[in-house]
Amino acid sequence: MLRNYFKTGFRNLVRQKVYSVINIAGLAAGIAACILIFLYVKDELSYDRHHAKADKIYRVTRDFVSNDGSVSLHLGHVAPPFGPLLEQDFPQIESIARLLQTSLLVENVEKQKTFREERIMFAEPAIFDIFDIPIIDGSRERALKEPFTLLLSNKLADKYFPGEEPVGQLLKLTSTSSARVTGVFQSLPDNSHFHPDILVAFNTLNDTAVYGAEQLRTNWGNNSFGTYMVINSEQEAENMQAQLPAFMDRHLGGTDHAGDRKPSDFSRLYLQKLTDIHLRSHLDSEMEANGDINTVMILAAVALVILLIACINYINLSTARYMSRAKEVGVRKVVGAEKHDLVFQFLSESILIALIATLLAVGITELCLPWLNEFTGKNIGSNIFTDRWLLGLTLLLPLLVGGLAGLYPAFYLSRFLPAMVLKGSLSNSSKNPLLRKTLVVVQFSISIILIIATGIMFRQLVYMQNKDLGFEAENVVILPTYTTLTPQFEAFKSELKKSALVEGVGRSLLIPSDRLLNSMGASVMKGDSMAQTSVTIKFVNVDHDLLDVFEVQLAAGRNFDRTRATDDTAAYILNNAAARMIGWQNPQEAIDQVFAYGGRKGRIIGVTEDFHFESLHDEISPMVYMLSPSNNYTNIAIRINGDTRQALAHIEQTWRQFLPGYPFEYSFLDQLYAETYKAERDKGVIFLIFSCIAILIACLGLFGLASYTTVQRTKEIGIRKVFGASVMRIVTLLSKDFLKLVLVANLLAWPIAWYAMRTWLNDFAYRIEMGTGIFLLAALLAFIISVVTISYQAVRAASANPVKSLRTE
Amino acid sequence: MSKEDFIIETQQLEKKYITDTVETTALAGVDLRIAKGEFVAVMGPSGCGKSTLLNILGLLDSPSGGSFRFLGQDISHASERQRAKIRKHNLGFVFQSFNLIDELTVEENIGLPLAYLGIPRAETEKRVKEAMERMGIAHRHAHFPQQLSGGQQQRVAIARATVSNPSLILADEPTGNLDSVHGREVMSLLSELNDAGTTVVMVTHSPSDAEYAHRIVNLFDGQIVTESLNARKHAAELL
Ligand SMILES: Nc1ncnc2c1ncn2[C@@H]1O[C@H](COP(=O)(O)OP(=O)(O)OP(=O)(O)O)[C@@H](O)[C@H]1O
Ligand SMILES: [Mg+2]
């Protein structure tokens, strides 16, 4: 009997080729998209979970509170003294390690291989007790114990010592010091929130030339030390968290702070779970760019939506298809089929087809996975057959979807008395039952919401990319600078400027697109005495030329002047936001005011127009620019004009002349800026792609349904034509019903889309107005799509020879 | 005749169709008894309720009133489930429009009733083959209905109706879509089945088809107006 069912099912599929293809392809595409998103989401959720103690590992974070009580900064790293003090004060800490990530030039002197390594980590030996970092070569016992020893990741071992035994070799880390390789560790997997390439013994930092033991003990301001620990129970962690303010007051008592506030009033420590770092931590300093739980949730929702659309489609088309099998049902009943026979037949057929679609989807997934990996920079394996969840999903899905699609015809058709189904009266009386209408509306609403969301996301992205930043970000080349260069900087600059292609050269501590994290206390003259302002002002060290290089406009006053020696230590330039927030009515008022910053007193010599130093995610913050007599700069900014390639060649040549052996690494300021939107852009593109898939599937469904309805009404169309109806009138007749549904779908979709996108836009400090345009556009698009699909079918049916359609019986 | 000798017994059988606002009385009190082994023809003008009567007699539809005994068992209030069981074991149908499943071949169509009876494959194959041979369509066994002529399709339908050896065959205008030559063929097949002991109830518009029956029931406006024995047929049988 089963054979008989499958034969009927299969032959039906073949007979209704178009619907079958649409039906199966739609479901397969939906499931494939869903599996891909599932893999992505699962990878995002798996971050840092591979460590055996993952659930017991915590990171210490620190925030700073402004005088007005708002959190001005929340860092994922803390000052170096905290680690040992925490260990000393809290017995519940099982092990604790400090990690300092930095970038250095590393040289294999013998082989003359020099690379800039961005992920060098000074680490205490306890790192191996906390994290699972397998040591694959060298001694675990001695690892990171002695100063000036290091471990290389297996990747780097090959880079510096190809074909050689790395253990025992020397690597030059700075111009003055070298360290010995004592082992090789296995690089951390991709789904880890940090990826050290080199682990250097932490006690190397005790060396004054490197950092200094005194500094490690007393520098409360250098919050760049990742501090990780193992605490055995959540309860103990909570206890400890509660005691942290007292801990702060105990140890920071000696350091200066404003007025009568306790240390714990202006800076607090927190314990953050390791497993929260990747998705739930958006702190102002992180080792690497993190993911975002919202993105993950949105994508998961998109996956569900796509699946929903695909399933609705499948159910819709299947039931439509099954209606034409009323006669078969009648005949089967006549020759002896009982209800359960029919239910079983339709269910098994429907599930089998869904299963075929699922297998197809698995194939599609395999094909698309490399693309997803390339796009997301991930390395997700296609482990459909080893992943319990995925396997379960792929087995359950056809059962569920097929089951739902089969239930309707199974119970609906088998319910009728055979005399009725045989007459075929069913298919006429229920051309568009409420269920199917509802499903079409749901499907279209979802598509419209996706169109609107995608549209708004892209408009926001375009807006951010095109927004006037307030300075000229184009044609600025950024280079790192090294202390070696400092004494010869003037010579370097004049060599660069020999070319007409170089317009200006300046240096700064930070470059636009960097986060502004550093601030110090600021005071202004109030009456006769200096008073601390409550405004948090971020500082950037710049040299005399930098503001000119960036072409920043001055609202009042002047730029730094080489001829005035006092500028070096006693001149400040504020941005307009700072001047305004401090309380000056206009920029001019601020000029020549006495201003103290970080305890250093001077005068305000200029106020710049506001510009976007940070990305558009953040409001323009109050800023102060000052010169750094100690040359505390990290970047060189060069404005070029004319041919970029020639200019770069000239810059590189000059670089090689002054800094032989140092890698020439440059970036363009506008590109750095663009990178700050990379997450949004990627998100936007992913969203766009999956929205398109969803919309496509919805269209497939509409197309199938429209053509099905048209076929059903072929006879009616024929008769109408015999009696003189024009093609146009018939098209209108057929489209009317569907267009009504599309209209309803729009009315449903608009408020949902509006609410969702308002929430999304609220995350941006600078954002577009939603407007009605995109809503109307989405509606128009939905209408066009449906009119085109329906018209195609309707015109085909309407322009056929009426005799042909009448004969269809 | 004892009660058990009637395969069908109806009293005041009624059928009303209610559509939206209109109520149509298709059967208005039909008293009919059909003995085992009989060949009955139902005749009457279009719309008088012939098909309706046949559908109810064949348990494809339920009556709105009156009583209906099938093989001595009252089934006027039987559920569709019970009716399906009785249909499966006792009834065979032949329709004007053949009603074959287009996606199944000739032999698959014929084997369908046996499949629903749960008869094993080998046995099914044997009986299907016999039925096809009897109907002279064995050479067409692998064809699909669309590839056959109307007469051939009707023979397939008869083969399907008889393959499970039902005690009653119901035929609704079995020759309605056929030319006279093929019509006669179909009638002689039904006649042969009847000779072999199967009860046949047939709806027809053709007096010549009615000639094959023992008895002709004339329906008008949902009621039996006349019943006449077919003298020739009886005479022939007496010979
Ligand atoms: N499903 C139905 N719904 C409503 N009325 C129906 C239905 N089926 C039949 N009728 C009505 O019942 C009456 C009897 O119909 P039936 O099909 O039994 O006639 P018939 O004698 O078989 O006619 P014909 O010789 O044309 O086949 C008719 O008036 C018909 O309109
Ligand atoms: Mg009829």
Side-chain angles (χ1 to χ4, degrees):
Chain A
M1 190 87 255
L2 209 59
R3 231 164 48 115
N4 181 297
Y5 292 159
F6 288 153
K7 264 184 206 156
T8 339
F10 178 72
R11 285 169 192 160
N12 257 302
L13 273 184
V14 174
R15 198 161 56 89
Q16 304 173 307
K17 273 188 215 71
V18 182
Y19 311 121
S20 306
V21 167
I22 290 179
N23 208 359
I24 294 177
L27 185 60
I31 296 177
C34 200
I35 295 178
L36 285 172
I37 297 180
F38 176 86
L39 287 171
Y40 176 85
V41 167
K42 193 167 162 277
D43 181 75
E44 285 285 293
L45 293 175
S46 71
Y47 266 67
D48 294 311
R49 291 191 194 269
H50 56 274
H51 301 291
K53 297 178 187 161
D55 287 330
K56 299 178 184 171
I57 301 175
Y58 292 83
R59 174 171 83 166
V60 185
T61 70
R62 181 180 188 184
D63 75 358
F64 294 87
V65 186
S66 314
N67 290 357
D68 62 6
S70 64
V71 173
S72 63
L73 208 58
H74 193 163
L75 301 173
H77 305 95
V78 298
F82 282 121
L85 290 172
L86 286 167
E87 189 173 22
Q88 171 197 310
D89 287 13
F90 295 99
Q92 53 265 63
I93 296 175
E94 191 183 288
S95 40
I96 184 165
R98 287 174 292 175
L99 314 172
L100 174 67
Q101 179 157 293
T102 182
S103 77
L104 290 172
L105 282 182
V106 176
E107 187 179 3
N108 174 351
V109 182
E110 202 176 306
K111 291 270 156 59
Q112 293 198 312
K113 282 178 194 279
T114 307
F115 303 100
R116 186 181 181 84
E117 296 301 341
E118 301 285 348
R119 300 193 294 204
I120 295 183
M121 208 174 266
F122 290 91
E124 292 181 300
I127 186 177
F128 297 113
D129 300 331
I130 300 171
F131 300 105
D132 294 6
I133 305 177
I135 294 177
I136 52 184
D137 193 4
S139 147
R140 155 92 211 250
E141 267 311 295
R142 283 175 48 208
L144 304 179
K145 292 267 162 69
E146 280 167 45
F148 296 98
T149 64
L150 60 80
L151 284 90
L152 287 176
S153 72
N154 49 343
K155 281 181 199 151
L156 247 62
D158 283 346
K159 183 164 149 192
Y160 287 95
F161 307 104
E164 279 181 74
E165 170 61 42
V167 174
Q169 307 257 23
L170 274 180
L171 279 177
K172 199 164 153 194
L173 290 186
T174 61
S175 47
T176 53
S177 53
S178 293
R180 187 165 300 282
V181 180
T182 68
V184 175
F185 65 92
Q186 179 77 48
S187 293
L188 282 158
D190 289 337
N191 53 354
S192 168
H193 82 285
F194 60 44
H195 298 90
D197 288 323
I198 299 180
L199 290 172
V200 185
F202 195 83
N203 48 18
T204 311
L205 294 172
N206 286 331
D207 191 293
T208 338
V210 186
Y211 191 73
E214 180 65 14
Q215 285 280 328
L216 283 179
R217 247 182 319 103
T218 58
N219 191 336
W220 298 97
N222 185 3
N223 292 293
S224 14
F225 291 75
T227 306
Y228 294 82
M229 59 184 103
V230 175
I231 300 173
N232 262 326
S233 76
E234 207 142 324
Q235 184 59 46
E236 282 174 3
E238 273 169 32
N239 276 342
M240 180 170 161
Q241 174 72 60
Q243 294 169 43
L244 284 174
F247 168 87
M248 289 295 271
D249 293 339
R250 203 154 57 232
H251 296 287
L252 267 81
T255 60
D256 55 7
H257 55 273
D260 49 14
R261 295 203 306 163
K262 298 197 296 289
S264 61
D265 289 336
F266 72 87
S267 181
R268 299 171 293 206
L269 294 186
Y270 300 89
L271 296 182
Q272 179 182 41
K273 292 194 74 125
L274 173 72
T275 47
D276 282 346
I277 293 177
H278 181 65
L279 290 178
R280 291 164 206 278
S281 163
H282 300 282
L283 304 187
D284 294 306
S285 72
E286 297 282 355
M287 296 244 200
E288 289 172 21
N290 280 340
D292 175 8
I293 188 75
N294 287 332
T295 312
V296 171
M297 301 283 240
I298 290 175
L299 272 178
V302 168
L304 283 182
V305 162
I306 289 180
L307 193 63
L308 189 71
I309 293 187
C311 293
I312 288 178
N313 236 352
Y314 183 77
I315 294 170
N316 239 343
L317 276 175
S318 303
T319 52
R321 230 162 39 84
Y322 285 134
M323 294 311 291
S324 67
R325 288 170 69 180
K327 179 185 148 198
E328 183 194 330
V329 173
V331 173
R332 283 182 183 273
K333 284 194 140 188
V334 164
V335 301
E338 292 181 44
K339 187 170 169 172
H340 65 85
D341 292 316
L342 292 165
V343 170
F344 179 75
Q345 178 188 352
F346 281 108
L347 278 182
S348 59
E349 180 181 325
S350 171
I351 290 172
L352 189 76
I353 297 173
L355 191 69
I356 294 173
T358 310
L359 291 179
L360 209 63
V362 170
I364 298 174
T365 313
E366 296 283 319
L367 286 177
C368 292
L369 205 55
W371 166 83
L372 181 79
N373 276 334
E374 185 173 318
F375 189 76
T376 56
K378 286 186 182 295
N379 204 353
I380 302 168
S382 61
N383 39 12
I384 290 168
F385 298 103
T386 53
D387 186 309
R388 256 185 307 140
W389 279 95
L390 206 53
L391 194 63
L393 190 79
T394 41
L395 288 180
L396 206 70
L397 219 56
L399 227 56
L400 201 76
V401 181
L404 276 175
L407 272 183
Y408 178 72
F411 286 98
Y412 181 74
L413 290 179
S414 60
R415 199 177 66 205
F416 288 96
L417 291 173
M420 281 170 81
V421 247
L422 265 185
K423 265 194 170 169
S425 56
L426 237 51
S427 38
N428 283 331
S429 65
S430 51
K431 225 168 279 168
N432 239 335
L434 192 66
L435 173 74
R436 204 172 310 153
K437 279 184 186 165
T438 315
L439 292 180
V440 169
V441 167
V442 169
Q443 208 176 29
F444 255 75
S445 302
I446 293 171
S447 303
I448 292 163
I449 293 171
L450 288 175
I451 293 174
I452 295 175
T454 315
I456 291 181
M457 279 172 108
F458 268 79
R459 269 185 50 214
Q460 172 69 17
L461 284 175
V462 169
Y463 168 80
M464 289 200 296
Q465 268 159 18
N466 294 341
K467 185 166 188 326
D468 183 13
L469 297 170
F471 74 102
E472 258 322 309
E474 268 170 56
N475 293 321
V476 177
V477 177
I478 303 288
L479 303 174
T481 178
Y482 298 96
T483 41
T484 330
L485 187 63
T486 309
Q488 345 165 44
F489 184 75
E490 288 306 317
F492 175 73
K493 183 161 74 180
S494 53
E495 184 62 34
L496 278 175
K497 281 183 145 178
K498 275 184 187 159
S499 163
L501 296 170
V502 172
E503 275 186 15
V505 182
R507 286 175 297 170
S508 66
L509 182 60
L510 298 167
I511 47 171
S513 79
D514 278 347
R515 293 295 319 274
L516 292 169
L517 299 178
N518 307 320
S519 68
M520 297 188 268
S523 332
V524 287
M525 193 64 93
K526 273 257 174 68
D528 298 334
S529 63
M530 296 295 286
Q532 177 128 20
T533 107
S534 62
V535 184
T536 305
I537 304 175
K538 310 285 170 69
F539 76 87
V540 177
N541 294 343
V542 298
D543 71 2
H544 295 87
D545 302 312
L546 192 90
L547 292 178
D548 286 340
V549 171
F550 286 162
E551 295 178 6
V552 174
Q553 303 296 315
L554 284 174
R558 60 174 177 87
N559 199 348
F560 298 111
D561 188 345
R562 273 200 182 69
T563 59
R564 304 192 198 202
T566 48
D567 275 8
D568 280 358
T569 53
Y572 295 102
I573 296 178
L574 297 180
N575 68 353
N576 211 340
R580 203 172 46 242
M581 285 168 78
I582 288 171
W584 287 302
Q585 298 301 318
N586 60 60
Q588 198 56 50
E589 248 180 63
I591 304 302
D592 266 347
Q593 297 285 343
V594 176
F595 181 78
Y597 194 73
R600 198 176 79 177
K601 214 166 172 180
R603 278 181 194 278
I604 294 166
I605 60 161
V607 175
T608 69
E609 293 289 1
D610 280 338
F611 73 94
H612 290 278
F613 198 98
E614 294 173 291
S615 76
L616 293 175
H617 297 100
D618 305 294
E619 302 256 8
I620 292 178
S621 34
M623 290 173 69
V624 58
Y625 302 94
M626 52 201 198
L627 297 171
S628 169
S630 58
N631 285 302
N632 183 11
Y633 304 121
T634 52
N635 302 290
I636 303 170
I638 304 167
R639 177 162 299 278
I640 58 172
N641 60 27
D643 188 86
T644 309
R645 208 136 38 103
Q646 278 180 23
L648 274 177
H650 171 66
I651 295 170
E652 178 166 7
Q653 196 191 342
T654 316
W655 177 272
R656 298 237 177 276
Q657 180 187 335
F658 283 83
L659 289 163
Y662 285 79
F664 177 66
E665 296 157 318
Y666 66 91
S667 37
F668 289 99
L669 187 56
D670 48 356
Q671 284 171 13
L672 290 176
Y673 227 92
E675 265 170 36
T676 62
Y677 310 123
K678 190 176 178 305
E680 276 86 10
R681 208 179 47 223
D682 288 0
K683 212 185 294 180
V685 172
I686 289 189
F687 206 73
L688 181 73
I689 289 168
F690 286 112
S691 300
C692 285
I693 293 176
I695 294 163
L696 198 77
I697 296 173
C699 288
L700 272 185
L702 186 76
F703 180 82
L705 222 48
S707 60
Y708 181 81
T709 315
T710 315
V711 170
Q712 283 230 307
R713 294 171 77 170
T714 307
K715 192 174 166 192
E716 179 193 335
I717 293 169
I719 296 169
R720 281 178 190 273
K721 283 194 70 181
V722 170
F723 288 98
S726 68
V727 173
M728 195 53 218
R729 278 195 59 175
I730 289 169
V731 171
T732 318
L733 173 84
L734 290 174
S735 312
K736 217 172 56 197
D737 287 351
F738 272 108
L739 293 186
K740 263 188 239 155
L741 297 185
V742 175
L743 184 70
V744 173
N746 266 299
L747 295 180
L748 275 178
W750 284 352
I752 300 174
W754 181 83
Y755 179 78
M757 291 325 284
R758 198 191 53 172
T759 315
W760 184 77
L761 282 174
N762 276 343
D763 272 358
F764 294 88
Y766 299 89
R767 54 183 176 255
I768 52 163
E769 286 299 316
M770 251 189 275
T772 48
I774 187 76
F775 290 84
L776 295 176
L777 192 74
L780 194 68
L781 218 61
F783 274 108
I784 289 175
I785 290 168
S786 33
V787 167
V788 167
T789 44
I790 295 164
S791 301
Y792 171 75
Q793 288 300 330
V795 166
R796 233 177 48 161
S799 34
N801 196 332
V803 177
K804 216 171 128 193
S805 36
L806 279 178
R807 251 199 233 127
T808 323
E809 249 298 62
Chain B
M1 271 198 268
S2 76
K3 264 195 163 175
E4 283 65 42
D5 293 329
F6 291 112
I7 193 163
I8 282 169
E9 248 188 308
T10 72
Q11 273 176 356
Q12 290 303 303
L13 198 66
E14 270 185 39
K15 179 67 181 180
K16 290 190 175 106
Y17 290 110
I18 300 153
T19 40
D20 297 332
T21 50
V22 200
E23 189 184 289
T24 319
T25 305
L27 295 178
V30 173
D31 294 326
L32 184 63
R33 283 172 163 193
I34 294 170
K36 282 181 184 163
E38 237 189 318
F39 188 149
V40 177
V42 180
M43 296 187 75
S46 187
C48 69
K50 303 181 295 293
S51 297
T52 307
L53 178 64
L54 203 71
N55 282 342
I56 293 175
L57 296 185
L59 284 73
L60 297 178
D61 209 344
S62 51
S64 327
S67 83
F68 177 21
R69 303 177 80 81
F70 188 87
L71 285 170
Q73 191 188 350
D74 185 358
I75 51 160
S76 16
H77 303 292
S79 68
E80 164 62 12
R81 205 183 145 90
Q82 286 166 300
R83 282 203 298 263
K85 285 234 158 49
I86 297 170
R87 276 205 305 269
K88 173 150 96 175
H89 291 103
N90 302 290
L91 299 176
F93 291 87
V94 179
F95 300 93
Q96 178 181 2
S97 55
F98 321 131
N99 276 334
L100 299 173
I101 295 180
D102 295 335
E103 284 74 31
L104 295 179
T105 61
V106 166
E107 53 185 351
E108 285 160 357
N109 262 294
I110 297 174
L112 213 51
L114 301 179
Y116 282 116
L117 284 169
I119 288 170
R121 175 100 64 87
E123 165 85 9
T124 301
E125 272 170 21
K126 196 178 119 238
R127 283 168 69 173
V128 167
K129 203 158 170 229
E130 280 168 15
M132 287 195 298
E133 271 159 12
R134 215 165 28 212
M135 300 295 146
I137 41 171
H139 58 299
R140 298 284 190 183
H141 67 101
H143 286 217
F144 287 96
Q146 258 96 10
Q147 300 165 322
L148 301 178
S149 76
Q152 287 166 332
Q153 288 190 49
Q154 197 60 299
R155 273 185 282 164
V156 174
I158 295 173
R160 186 180 65 187
T162 55
V163 74
S164 56
N165 293 323
S167 39
L168 174 62
I169 288 184
L170 298 151
D172 193 347
E173 301 185 44
T175 62
N177 278 359
L178 304 177
D179 64 31
S180 54
V181 178
H182 287 104
R184 247 175 281 139
E185 249 177 51
V186 164
M187 283 319 298
S188 48
L189 282 170
L190 285 176
S191 206
E192 275 168 36
L193 286 165
N194 178 244
D195 291 345
T198 314
T199 314
V200 178
V201 180
M202 173 183 76
V203 167
T204 183
H205 280 290
S206 144
S208 61
D209 286 355
E211 287 294 304
Y212 289 84
H214 297 129
R215 186 156 57 118
I216 298 166
V217 174
N218 279 301
L219 221 56
F220 188 80
D221 267 358
Q223 280 176 311
I224 294 176
V225 283
T226 56
E227 278 189 65
S228 57
L229 291 182
N230 184 346
R232 245 178 56 194
K233 178 88 176 174
H234 281 276
E237 271 180 11
L238 286 175
L239 282 176

